Amino acid sequence: MFKKTDSYTLSEATKKLERYCAYQERCHKDVTSKLKEMRMIPEAIDQIITHLIQENYLNEERFAQSFARGKFNIKKWGRNRIVNELKQRHISSYNIKSALAEIDDALYLETLDNLAKKRLNSIRETDIQKRRRKLADYLLYRGWESHLVYEKITELIK
C-alpha cells in the first residue's frame, strides 16, 4: 500500500554519490537532482557536493569537455546544440568555451560534409526546394551553424 522510502545517512549518501560520479562524468545539476531524489536536506546536499569537488569526483570543466567530445563524436551534434545542452545544465561560459575547444575545426567541417552527404542520399524527395528544406532542417536540428548548413546545401544541391 505505501511505498517504502529509503533514507540515507550522510556517509551512505556520500559513498553512493562517489560511485555515481566515478561511473561517468556528471555536472553539479545531475548530482543535486540525484541527492534531492534521495530526499537529502539542503545542508547535506551542500556538504556532499563540496566533498565530491574536493576529492575530484565532480569537475564541471572535465564534464563539459567530455560531454562536447562525446556528443560530437558519437551523435554528430554541431556546436549550437552542444552549447544549448550545456547551458541547460548550468555550465559556465568559460567551461563551455573550453569544451568547444576540444572539437577540431577540420574534423568538424569533415563531419558536417559526411553527415550532409549521407542525409542527402536518404532523402527521397524529387523537388529541389523540398530536398534543400529537409536537409537544412535536419542539420539545423542537430545544432550545426546556419551559415555552414546553407553553404553545404548550396554546394551539394545545384
Side-chain angles (χ1 to χ4, degrees), residues 13-129:
T14 303
K15 290 287 176 227
K16 189 172 176 77
L17 268 290
E18 282 176 356
R19 285 192 302 274
Y20 180 69
C21 292
Y23 175 72
Q24 163 183 324
E25 289 296 336
R26 309 282 181 181
C27 64
H28 289 39
K29 186 178 178 207
D30 292 343
V31 172
T32 305
S33 300
K34 184 78 168 169
L35 287 164
K36 285 179 180 172
E37 277 175 29
M38 293 167 65
R39 294 185 175 82
M40 300 301 287
I41 60 172
E43 292 81 12
I45 291 174
D46 292 342
Q47 197 173 341
I48 292 169
I49 287 179
T50 302
H51 167 78
L52 293 172
I53 292 168
Q54 287 171 346
E55 298 298 319
N56 207 20
Y57 283 101
L58 195 56
N59 182 324
E60 292 249 296
E61 185 175 8
R62 199 173 58 209
F63 166 79
Q65 291 172 346
S66 170
F67 183 89
R69 270 193 316 271
K71 296 303 181 188
F72 172 69
N73 291 331
I74 296 164
K75 290 197 170 188
K76 309 295 183 222
W77 284 3
R79 288 189 176 111
N80 290 345
R81 177 100 183 250
I82 292 170
V83 167
N84 290 337
E85 294 287 332
L86 287 171
K87 281 182 182 174
Q88 283 181 347
R89 289 168 172 78
H90 308 295
I91 305 296
S92 70
S93 55
Y94 171 81
N95 288 337
I96 291 174
K97 281 188 186 102
S98 106
L100 293 179
E102 293 287 303
I103 301 171
D104 178 56
D105 289 335
L107 185 60
Y108 189 74
L109 295 173
E110 183 184 327
T111 302
L112 172 62
D113 187 52
N114 293 337
L115 196 61
K117 286 176 181 172
K118 186 176 178 184
R119 181 64 180 173
L120 191 58
N121 289 335
S122 71
I123 297 174
R124 295 286 157 239
E125 189 63 55
T126 52
D127 180 21
I128 289 177
Q129 284 307 101

